[in-house]
Amino acid sequence: MMRNAKFSSNAFLPRGIAVAALCALLGACAVGPDYQRPALDVGAAYKEGQGEVEGWKPARPRDEADRGEWWRVYDDATLDGLVARLNASNQTIAQAEANYRQALGLVRGARAGFFPVVGAGAGMTRSGSGNGQSGSSSSSGSNVSNQYSLTGSVTWEVDLWGRVRRSVESSEASAAASLADLGATRLSAQAALVQSYLQLRVLDEQKRLLDATVAAYEKSLQLTQNRYAVGVAGQADVAVARTQLESTRAQSIDLDWQRGQLEHAIAVLMGQAPSQFSLPPAVFALRLPQIPVGLPSELLERRPDVAAAERRAAAANAQIGVAQAAWFPSLILSADGGFRNGQFAELLTAPARFWSLGPALAMTIFDGGAREAQVEQARASYDAQAAAYRQAALTGLREVEDYLIQLRVMENEQIVQRRALESARESLRLIQNQYKAGLVDYLSVAVVDATALSSERNALSLLGNRLTASVNLIVALGGGWDPQAPAMQAQAPVQTRIDTKAPEGGAPPAQP
């Protein structure tokens, strides 16, 4: 008998192992396709980055460079402080950060599906029933009873087909997309502030140019009035000199509202009321940065908007598995137990105890095509997100190419503009000498002077456009750089300080 019992126990051992292995196998499977990043041919190099572009050549590594704080390449302490305030107080960034925390909550909610649900309850009911005859107008009495209960329950749906795992996979990918959205929002706000600040400083330089020009024109008007008083110049010359002065003064005043709007934009970006913020003028040594452009494939890792689109494609792919899991039966394990008695004093006694334990297997047989429609919807959603990812990557590549060619063309334009500016200054010098010699009237001087002033302002505007394009290129490349990437460096500062020692009767030269 002992031998037979031992033989029976050993016979059941392989069966138990097989059952355990089967359960483990079922628990490890997950229906639906595993995610693969959508294929996209981005090329081996940038089309517009093959030639040398001033300010955008690959830089040598520099260990002391700050990582990710890309605005520091402009080497302006005031700008650094403004961006720090933006990072701490911008409300759009705060909104994106709250959305990310919400996405993390959804991840924790999805992971809860891995665990059983445990519940407990306590209650008391009072009930009664009549003992009178049916149809009689009164009853002879009634039975009233109390019922006390103390219960507990455990319910667990076994994730046989990976529905919970795919749900967690989808929610984690969505959270990663939300984090990338936060990065994109922060980068966009930083870029808007940096561009507003650079434009404001360029306006300050233009204001300084115009104010110095107004001072020079006031001297010219006084000189012309003196010449008219002694009969050397005509009254028309005085009128032309006064018109030139007042027109330039109007141009200087016109810059005030433009500067004010830029100040207001900076204040709002920092989460501050415009009335509580002001930025005094300052001499600004503008810098054009050097950054590593890198390969097009690196754009897919740098740009947060491209990363967000790719993560949303992964989330949509996982939803296909969630939809397909609905075709398979669900296994629910449940256990209930507790105490139930009509007398409260006898509630926690053995006779009042009850329990139940057992599995439940359920499967939908017919639903009118609802599950098939959900799978088709999930597949279409993935196709849409994959297309959105490819489009985001292609748009990013186009933006990089656009700003590379813009910087290259602007570099050539600035070279030509410098020649035009030098020529305008030389023309102004010659016409002023002719006017002093009495060979031409002041109207001729005013025409050449206006051309020279326009060239000075155009040179400053072009420099401002190059700075704006540099910010756009940094944003198009994804902003901050990986610590292993070559560090960003800055060129020698491009001075824009005005030479206030202007030639008599002419606009002071700028040095763009």
PDB file of all heavy atoms in Angstrom, residues 177 180-181 183-185 187 299-300 302-312 388-389 392-393 395-396 399 475-476 478:
ATOM      1  N   ALA A 177       5.441  60.216 -24.462  1.00  0.00           N
ATOM      2  CA  ALA A 177       5.069  61.263 -25.422  1.00  0.00           C
ATOM      3  C   ALA A 177       4.718  62.558 -24.701  1.00  0.00           C
ATOM      4  O   ALA A 177       5.070  63.654 -25.159  1.00  0.00           O
ATOM      5  CB  ALA A 177       3.886  60.793 -26.273  1.00  0.00           C
ATOM      6  N   ALA A 180       7.871  64.197 -23.749  1.00  0.00           N
ATOM      7  CA  ALA A 180       8.466  64.862 -24.915  1.00  0.00           C
ATOM      8  C   ALA A 180       7.709  66.147 -25.245  1.00  0.00           C
ATOM      9  O   ALA A 180       8.313  67.141 -25.652  1.00  0.00           O
ATOM     10  CB  ALA A 180       8.461  63.912 -26.110  1.00  0.00           C
ATOM     11  N   ASP A 181       6.382  66.130 -25.071  1.00  0.00           N
ATOM     12  CA  ASP A 181       5.611  67.361 -25.269  1.00  0.00           C
ATOM     13  C   ASP A 181       6.058  68.450 -24.297  1.00  0.00           C
ATOM     14  O   ASP A 181       6.119  69.631 -24.659  1.00  0.00           O
ATOM     15  CB  ASP A 181       4.119  67.080 -25.075  1.00  0.00           C
ATOM     16  CG  ASP A 181       3.524  66.270 -26.213  1.00  0.00           C
ATOM     17  OD1 ASP A 181       4.111  66.267 -27.300  1.00  0.00           O
ATOM     18  OD2 ASP A 181       2.468  65.636 -25.998  1.00  0.00           O
ATOM     19  N   GLY A 183       9.056  68.750 -23.093  1.00  0.00           N
ATOM     20  CA  GLY A 183      10.326  69.255 -23.616  1.00  0.00           C
ATOM     21  C   GLY A 183      10.125  70.183 -24.804  1.00  0.00           C
ATOM     22  O   GLY A 183      10.805  71.205 -24.920  1.00  0.00           O
ATOM     23  N   ALA A 184       9.193  69.828 -25.688  1.00  0.00           N
ATOM     24  CA  ALA A 184       8.926  70.681 -26.844  1.00  0.00           C
ATOM     25  C   ALA A 184       8.340  72.024 -26.415  1.00  0.00           C
ATOM     26  O   ALA A 184       8.689  73.073 -26.968  1.00  0.00           O
ATOM     27  CB  ALA A 184       7.974  69.969 -27.810  1.00  0.00           C
ATOM     28  N   THR A 185       7.459  71.992 -25.429  1.00  0.00           N
ATOM     29  CA  THR A 185       6.868  73.236 -24.925  1.00  0.00           C
ATOM     30  C   THR A 185       7.930  74.123 -24.295  1.00  0.00           C
ATOM     31  O   THR A 185       7.972  75.335 -24.516  1.00  0.00           O
ATOM     32  CB  THR A 185       5.767  72.917 -23.905  1.00  0.00           C
ATOM     33  OG1 THR A 185       4.753  72.121 -24.528  1.00  0.00           O
ATOM     34  CG2 THR A 185       5.134  74.193 -23.365  1.00  0.00           C
ATOM     35  N   LEU A 187      11.176  74.081 -24.904  1.00  0.00           N
ATOM     36  CA  LEU A 187      12.079  74.560 -25.944  1.00  0.00           C
ATOM     37  C   LEU A 187      11.434  75.693 -26.740  1.00  0.00           C
ATOM     38  O   LEU A 187      12.093  76.695 -27.064  1.00  0.00           O
ATOM     39  CB  LEU A 187      12.454  73.404 -26.877  1.00  0.00           C
ATOM     40  CG  LEU A 187      13.389  73.732 -28.044  1.00  0.00           C
ATOM     41  CD1 LEU A 187      14.710  74.281 -27.553  1.00  0.00           C
ATOM     42  CD2 LEU A 187      13.607  72.487 -28.906  1.00  0.00           C
ATOM     43  N   LEU A 299      18.581  63.822 -35.675  1.00  0.00           N
ATOM     44  CA  LEU A 299      17.422  64.676 -35.473  1.00  0.00           C
ATOM     45  C   LEU A 299      16.278  63.894 -34.837  1.00  0.00           C
ATOM     46  O   LEU A 299      15.506  64.429 -34.043  1.00  0.00           O
ATOM     47  CB  LEU A 299      16.974  65.268 -36.811  1.00  0.00           C
ATOM     48  CG  LEU A 299      15.778  66.221 -36.770  1.00  0.00           C
ATOM     49  CD1 LEU A 299      16.193  67.535 -36.124  1.00  0.00           C
ATOM     50  CD2 LEU A 299      15.242  66.473 -38.165  1.00  0.00           C
ATOM     51  N   LEU A 300      16.167  62.607 -35.179  1.00  0.00           N
ATOM     52  CA  LEU A 300      15.102  61.783 -34.637  1.00  0.00           C
ATOM     53  C   LEU A 300      15.266  61.573 -33.141  1.00  0.00           C
ATOM     54  O   LEU A 300      14.311  61.216 -32.453  1.00  0.00           O
ATOM     55  CB  LEU A 300      15.060  60.431 -35.357  1.00  0.00           C
ATOM     56  CG  LEU A 300      14.970  60.499 -36.887  1.00  0.00           C
ATOM     57  CD1 LEU A 300      14.890  59.102 -37.464  1.00  0.00           C
ATOM     58  CD2 LEU A 300      13.787  61.325 -37.324  1.00  0.00           C
ATOM     59  N   ARG A 302      16.983  64.025 -31.146  1.00  0.00           N
ATOM     60  CA  ARG A 302      17.096  65.315 -30.480  1.00  0.00           C
ATOM     61  C   ARG A 302      15.761  66.020 -30.337  1.00  0.00           C
ATOM     62  O   ARG A 302      15.438  66.546 -29.282  1.00  0.00           O
ATOM     63  CB  ARG A 302      18.041  66.221 -31.270  1.00  0.00           C
ATOM     64  CG  ARG A 302      19.496  65.826 -31.212  1.00  0.00           C
ATOM     65  CD  ARG A 302      20.298  66.799 -32.056  1.00  0.00           C
ATOM     66  NE  ARG A 302      21.719  66.481 -32.066  1.00  0.00           N
ATOM     67  CZ  ARG A 302      22.593  67.123 -32.827  1.00  0.00           C
ATOM     68  NH1 ARG A 302      22.182  68.080 -33.629  1.00  0.00           N
ATOM     69  NH2 ARG A 302      23.869  66.799 -32.784  1.00  0.00           N
ATOM     70  N   ARG A 303      14.990  66.056 -31.418  1.00  0.00           N
ATOM     71  CA  ARG A 303      13.791  66.894 -31.409  1.00  0.00           C
ATOM     72  C   ARG A 303      12.697  66.263 -30.557  1.00  0.00           C
ATOM     73  O   ARG A 303      12.273  65.128 -30.804  1.00  0.00           O
ATOM     74  CB  ARG A 303      13.281  67.111 -32.831  1.00  0.00           C
ATOM     75  CG  ARG A 303      14.073  68.137 -33.601  1.00  0.00           C
ATOM     76  CD  ARG A 303      13.470  68.377 -34.953  1.00  0.00           C
ATOM     77  NE  ARG A 303      12.112  68.870 -34.892  1.00  0.00           N
ATOM     78  CZ  ARG A 303      11.696  69.964 -35.545  1.00  0.00           C
ATOM     79  NH1 ARG A 303      12.553  70.667 -36.255  1.00  0.00           N
ATOM     80  NH2 ARG A 303      10.446  70.329 -35.491  1.00  0.00           N
ATOM     81  N   PRO A 304      12.188  66.988 -29.566  1.00  0.00           N
ATOM     82  CA  PRO A 304      11.154  66.413 -28.703  1.00  0.00           C
ATOM     83  C   PRO A 304       9.839  66.183 -29.416  1.00  0.00           C
ATOM     84  O   PRO A 304       9.107  65.243 -29.072  1.00  0.00           O
ATOM     85  CB  PRO A 304      11.015  67.452 -27.585  1.00  0.00           C
ATOM     86  CG  PRO A 304      11.571  68.712 -28.133  1.00  0.00           C
ATOM     87  CD  PRO A 304      12.623  68.314 -29.100  1.00  0.00           C
ATOM     88  N   ASP A 305       9.500  66.998 -30.420  1.00  0.00           N
ATOM     89  CA  ASP A 305       8.240  66.779 -31.124  1.00  0.00           C
ATOM     90  C   ASP A 305       8.292  65.502 -31.951  1.00  0.00           C
ATOM     91  O   ASP A 305       7.294  64.772 -32.050  1.00  0.00           O
ATOM     92  CB  ASP A 305       7.894  67.984 -31.991  1.00  0.00           C
ATOM     93  CG  ASP A 305       8.983  68.288 -33.023  1.00  0.00           C
ATOM     94  OD1 ASP A 305      10.150  67.922 -32.784  1.00  0.00           O
ATOM     95  OD2 ASP A 305       8.661  68.900 -34.058  1.00  0.00           O
ATOM     96  N   VAL A 306       9.454  65.195 -32.526  1.00  0.00           N
ATOM     97  CA  VAL A 306       9.602  63.938 -33.267  1.00  0.00           C
ATOM     98  C   VAL A 306       9.549  62.754 -32.305  1.00  0.00           C
ATOM     99  O   VAL A 306       8.911  61.725 -32.588  1.00  0.00           O
ATOM    100  CB  VAL A 306      10.919  63.939 -34.064  1.00  0.00           C
ATOM    101  CG1 VAL A 306      11.132  62.604 -34.768  1.00  0.00           C
ATOM    102  CG2 VAL A 306      10.914  65.068 -35.085  1.00  0.00           C
ATOM    103  N   ALA A 307      10.194  62.900 -31.146  1.00  0.00           N
ATOM    104  CA  ALA A 307      10.142  61.832 -30.148  1.00  0.00           C
ATOM    105  C   ALA A 307       8.717  61.604 -29.664  1.00  0.00           C
ATOM    106  O   ALA A 307       8.289  60.454 -29.464  1.00  0.00           O
ATOM    107  CB  ALA A 307      11.050  62.180 -28.973  1.00  0.00           C
ATOM    108  N   ALA A 308       7.948  62.674 -29.474  1.00  0.00           N
ATOM    109  CA  ALA A 308       6.562  62.529 -29.029  1.00  0.00           C
ATOM    110  C   ALA A 308       5.736  61.796 -30.077  1.00  0.00           C
ATOM    111  O   ALA A 308       4.920  60.918 -29.742  1.00  0.00           O
ATOM    112  CB  ALA A 308       5.962  63.905 -28.741  1.00  0.00           C
ATOM    113  N   ALA A 309       5.922  62.126 -31.348  1.00  0.00           N
ATOM    114  CA  ALA A 309       5.181  61.446 -32.406  1.00  0.00           C
ATOM    115  C   ALA A 309       5.534  59.964 -32.470  1.00  0.00           C
ATOM    116  O   ALA A 309       4.658  59.110 -32.674  1.00  0.00           O
ATOM    117  CB  ALA A 309       5.465  62.119 -33.748  1.00  0.00           C
ATOM    118  N   GLU A 310       6.815  59.646 -32.268  1.00  0.00           N
ATOM    119  CA  GLU A 310       7.230  58.236 -32.300  1.00  0.00           C
ATOM    120  C   GLU A 310       6.642  57.461 -31.131  1.00  0.00           C
ATOM    121  O   GLU A 310       6.201  56.320 -31.269  1.00  0.00           O
ATOM    122  CB  GLU A 310       8.753  58.163 -32.283  1.00  0.00           C
ATOM    123  CG  GLU A 310       9.318  56.777 -32.530  1.00  0.00           C
ATOM    124  CD  GLU A 310       9.501  56.005 -31.232  1.00  0.00           C
ATOM    125  OE1 GLU A 310       9.623  56.647 -30.177  1.00  0.00           O
ATOM    126  OE2 GLU A 310       9.505  54.763 -31.277  1.00  0.00           O
ATOM    127  N   ARG A 311       6.586  58.067 -29.948  1.00  0.00           N
ATOM    128  CA  ARG A 311       6.014  57.403 -28.778  1.00  0.00           C
ATOM    129  C   ARG A 311       4.504  57.198 -28.929  1.00  0.00           C
ATOM    130  O   ARG A 311       3.958  56.206 -28.457  1.00  0.00           O
ATOM    131  CB  ARG A 311       6.311  58.212 -27.522  1.00  0.00           C
ATOM    132  CG  ARG A 311       7.759  58.183 -27.061  1.00  0.00           C
ATOM    133  CD  ARG A 311       8.142  56.808 -26.508  1.00  0.00           C
ATOM    134  NE  ARG A 311       8.507  55.845 -27.557  1.00  0.00           N
ATOM    135  CZ  ARG A 311       8.448  54.537 -27.417  1.00  0.00           C
ATOM    136  NH1 ARG A 311       8.032  54.016 -26.280  1.00  0.00           N
ATOM    137  NH2 ARG A 311       8.801  53.736 -28.375  1.00  0.00           N
ATOM    138  N   ARG A 312       3.837  58.128 -29.581  1.00  0.00           N
ATOM    139  CA  ARG A 312       2.398  57.957 -29.809  1.00  0.00           C
ATOM    140  C   ARG A 312       2.138  56.822 -30.794  1.00  0.00           C
ATOM    141  O   ARG A 312       1.125  56.130 -30.696  1.00  0.00           O
ATOM    142  CB  ARG A 312       1.787  59.265 -30.310  1.00  0.00           C
ATOM    143  CG  ARG A 312       1.700  60.328 -29.222  1.00  0.00           C
ATOM    144  CD  ARG A 312       0.863  61.535 -29.645  1.00  0.00           C
ATOM    145  NE  ARG A 312       0.668  62.406 -28.483  1.00  0.00           N
ATOM    146  CZ  ARG A 312       1.467  63.391 -28.144  1.00  0.00           C
ATOM    147  NH1 ARG A 312       2.522  63.661 -28.910  1.00  0.00           N
ATOM    148  NH2 ARG A 312       1.238  64.120 -27.080  1.00  0.00           N
ATOM    149  N   ALA A 388       2.055  60.294 -38.893  1.00  0.00           N
ATOM    150  CA  ALA A 388       2.349  61.547 -38.191  1.00  0.00           C
ATOM    151  C   ALA A 388       3.809  61.601 -37.757  1.00  0.00           C
ATOM    152  O   ALA A 388       4.450  62.662 -37.808  1.00  0.00           O
ATOM    153  CB  ALA A 388       1.430  61.693 -36.979  1.00  0.00           C
ATOM    154  N   TYR A 389       4.355  60.469 -37.338  1.00  0.00           N
ATOM    155  CA  TYR A 389       5.766  60.423 -36.950  1.00  0.00           C
ATOM    156  C   TYR A 389       6.661  60.708 -38.156  1.00  0.00           C
ATOM    157  O   TYR A 389       7.605  61.514 -38.071  1.00  0.00           O
ATOM    158  CB  TYR A 389       6.086  59.053 -36.358  1.00  0.00           C
ATOM    159  CG  TYR A 389       7.550  58.717 -36.348  1.00  0.00           C
ATOM    160  CD1 TYR A 389       8.436  59.393 -35.508  1.00  0.00           C
ATOM    161  CD2 TYR A 389       8.067  57.724 -37.185  1.00  0.00           C
ATOM    162  CE1 TYR A 389       9.792  59.098 -35.504  1.00  0.00           C
ATOM    163  CE2 TYR A 389       9.416  57.414 -37.184  1.00  0.00           C
ATOM    164  CZ  TYR A 389      10.268  58.102 -36.347  1.00  0.00           C
ATOM    165  OH  TYR A 389      11.603  57.814 -36.350  1.00  0.00           O
ATOM    166  N   ALA A 392       6.431  64.357 -39.011  1.00  0.00           N
ATOM    167  CA  ALA A 392       7.153  65.197 -38.052  1.00  0.00           C
ATOM    168  C   ALA A 392       8.650  65.162 -38.318  1.00  0.00           C
ATOM    169  O   ALA A 392       9.339  66.194 -38.253  1.00  0.00           O
ATOM    170  CB  ALA A 392       6.852  64.743 -36.624  1.00  0.00           C
ATOM    171  N   ALA A 393       9.181  63.967 -38.627  1.00  0.00           N
ATOM    172  CA  ALA A 393      10.612  63.857 -38.921  1.00  0.00           C
ATOM    173  C   ALA A 393      10.962  64.596 -40.205  1.00  0.00           C
ATOM    174  O   ALA A 393      11.972  65.317 -40.271  1.00  0.00           O
ATOM    175  CB  ALA A 393      11.008  62.391 -39.022  1.00  0.00           C
ATOM    176  N   THR A 395       9.330  67.098 -41.557  1.00  0.00           N
ATOM    177  CA  THR A 395       9.202  68.530 -41.302  1.00  0.00           C
ATOM    178  C   THR A 395      10.428  69.059 -40.564  1.00  0.00           C
ATOM    179  O   THR A 395      10.933  70.148 -40.870  1.00  0.00           O
ATOM    180  CB  THR A 395       7.934  68.810 -40.487  1.00  0.00           C
ATOM    181  OG1 THR A 395       6.782  68.364 -41.220  1.00  0.00           O
ATOM    182  CG2 THR A 395       7.782  70.295 -40.193  1.00  0.00           C
ATOM    183  N   GLY A 396      10.917  68.287 -39.599  1.00  0.00           N
ATOM    184  CA  GLY A 396      12.123  68.688 -38.891  1.00  0.00           C
ATOM    185  C   GLY A 396      13.325  68.792 -39.812  1.00  0.00           C
ATOM    186  O   GLY A 396      14.114  69.745 -39.728  1.00  0.00           O
ATOM    187  N   GLU A 399      13.008  71.941 -41.881  1.00  0.00           N
ATOM    188  CA  GLU A 399      13.320  73.150 -41.125  1.00  0.00           C
ATOM    189  C   GLU A 399      14.824  73.337 -40.977  1.00  0.00           C
ATOM    190  O   GLU A 399      15.340  74.459 -41.107  1.00  0.00           O
ATOM    191  CB  GLU A 399      12.653  73.091 -39.748  1.00  0.00           C
ATOM    192  CG  GLU A 399      11.142  73.210 -39.798  1.00  0.00           C
ATOM    193  CD  GLU A 399      10.507  73.083 -38.435  1.00  0.00           C
ATOM    194  OE1 GLU A 399      11.249  72.790 -37.462  1.00  0.00           O
ATOM    195  OE2 GLU A 399       9.279  73.261 -38.323  1.00  0.00           O
ATOM    196  N   VAL A 475      16.640  75.368 -32.465  1.00  0.00           N
ATOM    197  CA  VAL A 475      15.364  74.723 -32.130  1.00  0.00           C
ATOM    198  C   VAL A 475      15.076  73.587 -33.104  1.00  0.00           C
ATOM    199  O   VAL A 475      14.611  72.509 -32.704  1.00  0.00           O
ATOM    200  CB  VAL A 475      14.231  75.761 -32.132  1.00  0.00           C
ATOM    201  CG1 VAL A 475      12.880  75.087 -31.940  1.00  0.00           C
ATOM    202  CG2 VAL A 475      14.455  76.795 -31.038  1.00  0.00           C
ATOM    203  N   ALA A 476      15.333  73.814 -34.393  1.00  0.00           N
ATOM    204  CA  ALA A 476      15.085  72.767 -35.388  1.00  0.00           C
ATOM    205  C   ALA A 476      15.932  71.530 -35.137  1.00  0.00           C
ATOM    206  O   ALA A 476      15.516  70.405 -35.434  1.00  0.00           O
ATOM    207  CB  ALA A 476      15.358  73.310 -36.794  1.00  0.00           C
ATOM    208  N   GLY A 478      16.698  70.522 -32.178  1.00  0.00           N
ATOM    209  CA  GLY A 478      16.267  69.912 -30.925  1.00  0.00           C
ATOM    210  C   GLY A 478      16.769  70.591 -29.681  1.00  0.00           C
ATOM    211  O   GLY A 478      16.571  70.074 -28.581  1.00  0.00           O
TER     212      GLY A 478
END
